[in-house]
């Protein structure tokens, strides 16, 4: 095991949330997962993951969702850091701080974002500088959505959702998200999807031509029509209030609306920033939306925003990096 001092003391990675523009789900596989044909888009809601040299391993979470996230070894960011340490033969403890703005258990891959951020930040902090393919392999071991959190942009996912191909689409899209007061468990939503389809044959999922055409054209109206999620009926079956949220958004000018991933967040596509404000106001006024956020997509995947050089012998405080490090936003 390596325990040489790292040349950096503190690194922060910024990682976006994702939505699935299309999520087609195959029959359950023997390993409990489902074959997917999905189109991911990274959107501008971010978690910042800071790792700093420490005397022992630890993690803290800040932000409005902090109470909902475990701060022990089950935390996906902690698992990511420890996995990379094992793989690289590193024995340098870190303290991880997550500034969370991605809602928790919301179908926006917030936990996966934290794992991707921890991988990228620890890789730099420890001076491992792994080849991209190594980070991608580790990411896939941590969860189906973690590779996309590294990649960002717009991408097609197959297999469990972890095998990615970038989509060279046009357009920048404006989204309005309705958050829920409750979370939905991803395995429970997949199980409900299987239950609802138990009496019919489920075809192999293949990305739709309508989605690809819409993305190539960059036309938001076509994209709104092409939005499609096989998990949506399951999420609605578990949480019927989502139907009213979807209806309210469409009645108030959205070009399309969809449950995000396994839910319960609902994503609405609108034509521009002004419409996003109008829709956010209408959704809030209607009483169906406990909280609303707005973001554009696609945005880049996990990237380092701050790296602070180390002072040999002194461990970093839990404060956040100052302006002394390089910035590459
Ligand atoms: O890979 P991840 O940990 O994000 O998956 C969480 C759960 O979601 C899995 O345990 C499984 O129940 C479900 N899942 C699935 N098929 C996929 C991805 C996730 O059934 N392709």
């Amino acid at each position: 095991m390596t325990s040489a001092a790292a040349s950096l003391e503190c690194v922060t990675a910024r990682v976006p949330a994702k939505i699935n523009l299309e999520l087609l789900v195959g029959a359950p596989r023997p390993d409990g997962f489902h074959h997917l044909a999905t189109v991911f888009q990274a959107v501008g809601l971010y978690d910042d993951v800071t790792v700093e040299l420490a005397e022992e391993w630890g993690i803290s979470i800040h932000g409005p969702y902090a109470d909902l996230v475990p701060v022990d070894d089950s935390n996906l960011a902690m698992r990511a850091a420890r996995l990379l340490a094992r793989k690289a033969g590193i024995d340098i403890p870190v303290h991880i701080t997550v500034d969370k703005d991605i809602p928790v258990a919301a179908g926006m891959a917030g936990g996966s974002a934290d794992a991707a951020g921890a991988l990228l930040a620890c890789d730099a902090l420890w001076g491992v500088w792994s080849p991209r393919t190594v980070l991608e392999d580790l990411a896939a071991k941590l969860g189906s959505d973690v590779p996309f959190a590294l990649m960002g942009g717009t991408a097609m996912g197959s297999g469990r959702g972890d095998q990615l191909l970038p989509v060279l689409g046009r357009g920048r899209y404006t989204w309005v998200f309705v958050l829920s007061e409750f979370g939905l468990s991803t395995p429970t939503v997949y199980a409900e999807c299987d239950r609802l389809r138990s009496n019919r044959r489920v075809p192999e999922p293949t990305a739709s031509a309508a989605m690809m055409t819409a993305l190539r054209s960059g036309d938001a109206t076509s994209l709104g029509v092409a939005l499609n999620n096989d998990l949506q009926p399951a999420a609605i079956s578990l949480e019927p209030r989502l139907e009213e949220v979807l209806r309210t958004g469409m009645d108030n000018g959205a070009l399309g609306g969809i449950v995000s991933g396994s839910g319960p967040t609902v994503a609405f596509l609108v034509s521009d920033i002004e419409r996003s404000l109008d829709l956010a106001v209408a959704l809030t006024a209607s009483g169906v939306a406990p909280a609303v956020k707005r973001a554009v997509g696609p945005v880049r995947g996990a990237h380092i925003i701050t790296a602070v050089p180390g002072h040999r012998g002194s461990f970093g405080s839990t404060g956040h990096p100052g302006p002394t490090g390089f910035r590459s936003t």
Side-chain angles (χ1 to χ4, degrees):
M1 293 288 251
T2 300
S3 59
S7 61
L8 296 174
E9 180 175 297
C10 180
V11 175
T12 301
R14 178 161 289 174
V15 198
K18 65 86 190 165
I19 53 177
N20 301 79
L21 306 178
E22 179 160 69
L23 178 49
L24 306 178
V25 178
R29 310 191 317 196
D31 65 1
F33 286 87
H34 297 69
H35 272 301
L36 304 182
T38 188
V39 179
F40 292 106
Q41 181 158 99
V43 294
L45 295 180
Y46 297 97
D47 281 0
D48 284 351
V49 182
T50 298
V51 298
E52 54 195 323
L53 300 179
E55 280 166 14
E56 34 186 69
W57 292 86
I59 183 160
S60 36
I61 317 288
H62 297 294
Y65 311 107
D67 294 351
L68 303 172
V69 180
V71 284
D72 55 25
D73 281 355
S74 71
N75 184 288
L76 210 48
M78 183 62 101
R79 281 171 45 204
R82 287 194 185 272
L83 181 65
L84 177 63
R86 262 201 314 282
K87 167 84 184 170
I90 296 279
D91 186 18
I92 305 176
V94 294
H95 188 90
I96 303 172
T97 305
V98 181
D99 278 309
K100 254 202 131 9
D101 197 35
I102 305 176
V104 175
M108 301 192 81
S112 302
D114 300 346
L119 277 181
L120 199 66
C122 287
D123 193 61
L125 183 80
W126 292 326
V128 183
W129 302 114
S130 307
R132 194 69 183 184
T133 49
V134 170
L135 287 186
E136 285 162 4
D137 285 351
L138 294 178
K141 286 194 171 73
L142 290 159
S144 309
D145 292 336
V146 184
F148 180 70
L150 278 179
M151 179 188 253
T154 305
M156 286 190 54
S158 57
R160 286 187 293 129
D162 56 331
Q163 291 161 30
L164 299 174
L165 278 177
V167 173
L168 297 175
R170 284 207 283 226
R172 203 162 157 75
Y173 302 99
T174 306
W175 298 95
V176 177
F177 302 107
V178 174
L179 313 184
S180 259
E181 283 158 328
F182 51 88
L184 277 176
S185 136
T186 304
T188 307
V189 176
Y190 273 98
E192 180 66 1
C193 176
D194 292 339
R195 192 187 69 78
L196 292 175
R197 307 191 301 188
S198 57
N199 55 1
R200 57 188 148 100
R201 203 189 75 80
V202 176
E204 269 300 298
T206 321
S208 72
M211 174 55 65
M212 289 302 126
T213 307
L215 286 171
R216 268 198 300 273
S217 71
D219 174 34
T221 305
S222 312
L223 183 63
V225 175
L227 297 174
N228 185 17
N229 180 2
D230 280 352
L231 292 181
Q232 183 162 305
I236 290 173
S237 160
L238 294 167
E239 200 41 73
R241 281 176 287 179
L242 294 177
E243 199 142 40
E244 199 188 342
V245 176
L246 283 160
R247 199 172 37 245
T248 307
M250 297 310 293
D251 287 349
N252 283 280
L255 300 173
I258 196 171
V259 169
S260 174
S262 54
T265 302
V266 176
F268 291 108
L269 180 62
V270 292
S271 53
D272 52 44
I273 297 284
E274 210 170 312
R275 294 289 154 84
S276 76
L277 256 180
D278 293 344
L279 181 56
V281 169
L283 285 162
T284 307
S286 72
V288 300
V292 176
K293 281 184 185 274
R294 299 178 300 133
V296 294
V299 296
R300 64 192 291 210
H303 55 284
I304 290 173
I305 55 167
T306 319
V308 180
H311 306 288
R312 221 167 259 273
S314 71
F315 286 112
S317 70
T318 50
H320 276 236
T324 47
F326 76 80
R327 289 178 185 277
S328 68
T329 36

